[in-house]
Amino acid sequence: MAMSVGKEDGDDVPMSDINTTPLVDVMLVLLIIFLIAVPVVVESVPIALPKTAYEVRETKPENVELTVRGGPGGSCEVYNGMTPIGSDALLDMAVKKLEDAVAKAGGAENLTDETMPEVHIRGDVNTPYKCIGGTIYQMQRAGFARVGFVSEPPPGATVSRL
């Protein structure tokens, strides 16, 4: 522990530096609390994800997160967040999302691979392929070039970074 004894010329000036250690401690505690609380608050449609190799993905606000599962009688259910969405509404939503991204970038020529929004599909393990394929087709019709799948890693799987 360090201690300031004063200057050699005899001027006793009170120390006016702010002690930032308690502030840093409080901020670290808040960071840990929010890191734990955020995944608990996020709602999603309950499904069983397929078990595959795990790759870390970046989620950006402009990405489209969809959940697909098979419905009763062989029908398909597609959700944007927690909201069920039909095929035509999905196409309209996707086109609007891309138009907003183009406008935000200042034109289609300014979009790069990093700024282009992506589609992330969470598909239930028992979902018929026609449901997944139809969702991919609608998103590609809208103009999305990158479509990815969200999966659950098997127990003990190693994480690979892209």
Side-chain angles (χ1 to χ4, degrees):
M1 184 174 205
M3 187 169 123
S4 177
V5 182
K7 295 183 182 177
E8 292 157 5
D9 60 357
D11 290 341
D12 290 334
V13 178
M15 188 173 88
S16 62
D17 295 338
I18 297 174
N19 184 5
T20 59
T21 304
L23 174 68
V24 172
D25 290 345
V26 168
M27 295 305 289
L28 287 174
V29 168
L30 288 174
L31 175 68
I32 291 169
I33 288 171
F34 285 121
L35 285 175
I36 293 170
V38 168
V40 173
V41 176
V42 175
E43 290 185 36
S44 62
V45 176
I47 59 172
L49 293 173
K51 310 283 188 225
T52 60
Y54 182 68
E55 293 178 1
V56 176
R57 67 181 172 104
E58 285 184 34
T59 31
K60 299 179 248 177
E62 60 269 13
N63 290 346
V64 178
E65 302 283 335
L66 299 174
T67 303
V68 182
R69 68 180 182 184
S75 65
C76 300
E77 297 176 351
V78 179
Y79 295 85
N80 182 16
M82 291 295 291
T83 309
I85 188 167
S87 183
D88 293 334
L90 177 64
L91 181 61
D92 294 340
M93 181 271 308
V95 168
K96 182 172 181 346
K97 190 80 162 176
L98 274 180
E99 287 173 349
D100 292 346
V102 168
K104 183 179 177 184
E109 63 276 354
N110 296 334
L111 280 178
T112 63
D113 285 343
E114 284 76 35
T115 58
M116 181 74 168
E118 301 174 1
V119 178
H120 297 158
I121 298 176
R122 299 173 65 238
D124 189 75
V125 95
N126 298 318
T127 302
Y129 182 73
K130 70 175 185 172
C131 299
I132 303 285
T135 304
I136 293 170
Y137 177 71
Q138 287 294 68
M139 298 312 286
Q140 288 177 338
R141 277 185 58 201
F144 281 90
R146 298 179 74 181
V147 178
F149 297 98
V150 179
S151 61
E152 187 175 327
T158 58
V159 176
S160 62
R161 300 226 177 244
L162 297 176

